[in-house]
Amino acid sequence: MKTLFDKIWDSHVIATIEDGPSQLFIDRLYCHEVTSPQAFDGLRSRGLKPLCPARIFCMPDHNTPTHDQDKPIEDPVSKMQVDTLERNAAEFGLAHFGMMHPRNGVIHVVAPERGLTLPGMTIVCGDSHTSTHGALGAVAFGIGTSEVEMTLASQCILQQKPKTMRIRVEGALGECVTAKDVALYIISKMTTSGATGYFVEYGGSAIRSLSMEGRLTLCNLSIEMGARGGMIAPDEITFDYIRGREYAPSGEARDRALAYWKTLESDDDAVFDEEVVFAAEDIEPMLTYGTNPGMGVGITHAIPRSLSMDEGGRASFLKSLDYMGFNEGEPLIGKRIDYVFLGSCTNGRIEDFRMFASLVKGRRKADGVTAWLVPGSWMVADLIREEGLDRIFADAGFELRQPGCSACLAMNDDKIPAGKYAVSTSNRNFEGRQGPGARTVLASPLVAAAAAVTGVITDPRRLL
């Protein structure tokens, strides 16, 4: 009578404090340059070394520029953080994939594609979107810097066990409806706090039909509805994805691992603390209109009106619309846009670039639109070139950039100017998230591509 989450969590518990947290063994710790410096300083001040260095992998991604990576970083803060991670990894004997390294990229893109993330693992990183890795059937969640230090020192972490929720999406997804749209739809219905305190398992026929890239996108966005993490039971799609990857087991070791992975599903009689069901046919290409990911609507719908909201909710809603320069009750289709961003740990994988290319092929980037196409890793960049997608982009007037977090957040050179509108495939649309005063509309790669070639928000179904 166990859920998938219970099976993995319980098998990693070292000890439990009565009426308190569990001491949980961690299989993988991923470190990037922003949340790790103080953790390494803490080790140093206590005279400690990492307990299990082979389980720890470091790479910069947030601060890395997406051009001229073979040259020194110009921004002094970014340079300091990237250089500090390299020094810390060298001092403590940890794997480090620095800029221009073939294994570098956004850590939540690199780890699955290299076979570092595997079913049944517990995975942490000082980054909320660590929930991405749950797509392979792992318990993965973000932690704070003090907890990064705890994991470095002991390969364990103290955590209160979350409640469990299952979200099922049943039926067949419609034309141009991607995993990003599924995620934005669920968040719009659940709100940004609807899964607070829960670890979510996604299921249902629509979820099982998703590719591994789509599942990674969906689990990535779990945090945006307040969940501690999200996960999907591994199946043949998962096993096929893992096969042959660099750090994945092979030969007899794979046979043993596969036998275990196939047990990783919720029992038929497992009881979840909460269950929610959505119909796939209700989902269309989605857009956000406000300043949190829960403020989303189908692309053919108008921005909601505030008449039925309570006073506090109405004030917040109108403040958000004022920041965005939108009005309640108006449609989003036809709104002028200035920037398009394809990338991030949400939509920086090869499938996302294939989707974008499928729509811009034979068309031209609209005048006045600045487009940043940023692969999530060097592996993705190599595949783009091998498949000739770079030529499609070039012919359409797009430039391919180098891997990094880029315009997902204003911590590197790729910032959206104040007042400008960006259709972004990233995960957050908070005020200033992509730069001070920037206005962000979250969408799928297909919706982003449609905007890029028309210069306005456009339903991609009209262009296919």
Side-chain angles (χ1 to χ4, degrees), residues 5-254:
F5 173 79
D6 290 332
K7 289 180 180 181
I8 299 173
W9 180 281
D10 293 350
S11 69
H12 285 76
V13 170
I14 305 298
T16 300
I17 298 171
E18 188 174 354
D19 298 322
S22 297
Q23 181 186 16
L24 195 69
F25 181 80
I26 300 301
D27 292 303
R28 289 274 191 268
L29 167 64
Y30 300 138
C31 291
H32 61 68
E33 75 275 26
V34 179
T35 55
S36 64
Q38 296 91 338
F40 284 111
D41 284 345
L43 284 191
R44 203 174 283 115
S45 67
R46 296 158 64 197
L48 298 176
K49 293 183 177 181
L51 181 66
C52 301
R55 295 181 178 272
I56 302 165
F57 294 83
C58 307
M59 73 183 69
D61 54 12
H62 285 57
N63 291 103
T64 58
T66 60
H67 56 85
D68 298 328
Q69 287 191 7
D70 56 340
K71 299 176 182 177
I73 298 175
E74 293 181 3
D75 179 70
V77 174
S78 293
K79 186 177 190 307
M80 178 186 66
Q81 289 191 305
V82 171
D83 291 348
T84 299
L85 179 64
E86 183 176 9
R87 287 196 303 271
N88 283 330
E91 177 182 344
F92 291 102
L94 305 177
H96 175 258
F97 307 145
M99 287 197 313
M100 300 299 293
H101 191 290
R103 298 189 193 95
N104 180 251
V106 182
I107 202 161
H108 304 315
V109 175
V110 172
E113 73 182 9
R114 293 288 174 178
L116 286 167
T117 296
L118 298 171
M121 282 185 167
T122 51
I123 297 168
V124 296
C125 175
D127 185 285
S128 58
H129 292 105
T130 308
S131 57
T132 307
H133 306 271
L136 285 94
V139 169
F141 53 91
I143 57 176
T145 296
S146 62
E147 294 169 311
V148 173
E149 181 182 344
M150 185 189 303
T151 310
L152 285 167
S154 68
Q155 207 57 40
C156 291
I157 192 171
L158 287 174
Q159 283 285 297
Q160 197 78 34
K161 187 176 183 180
K163 295 181 289 184
T164 57
M165 176 186 290
R166 179 160 57 189
I167 296 178
R168 292 179 11 241
V169 182
E170 301 289 359
L173 297 174
E175 183 184 22
C176 293
V177 176
T178 72
K180 181 67 165 289
D181 302 303
V182 173
L184 290 176
Y185 177 84
I186 291 173
I187 300 166
S188 75
K189 298 300 182 184
M190 297 287 295
T191 77
T192 54
S193 60
T196 300
Y198 292 90
F199 217 97
V200 174
E201 179 182 341
Y202 298 98
S205 55
I207 304 303
R208 290 193 298 272
S209 73
L210 294 176
S211 66
M212 185 51 59
E213 287 88 348
R215 297 176 185 193
L216 289 160
T217 294
L218 177 60
C219 289
N220 173 274
L221 285 156
S222 302
I223 194 72
E224 309 307 341
M225 57 181 174
R228 196 71 183 93
M231 62 195 312
I232 297 172
D235 57 15
E236 291 303 321
I237 291 175
T238 319
F239 308 146
D240 288 343
Y241 176 87
I242 294 169
R243 183 181 289 107
R245 296 190 181 268
E246 186 175 358
Y247 288 90
S250 59
E252 292 183 7
R254 175 181 167 83

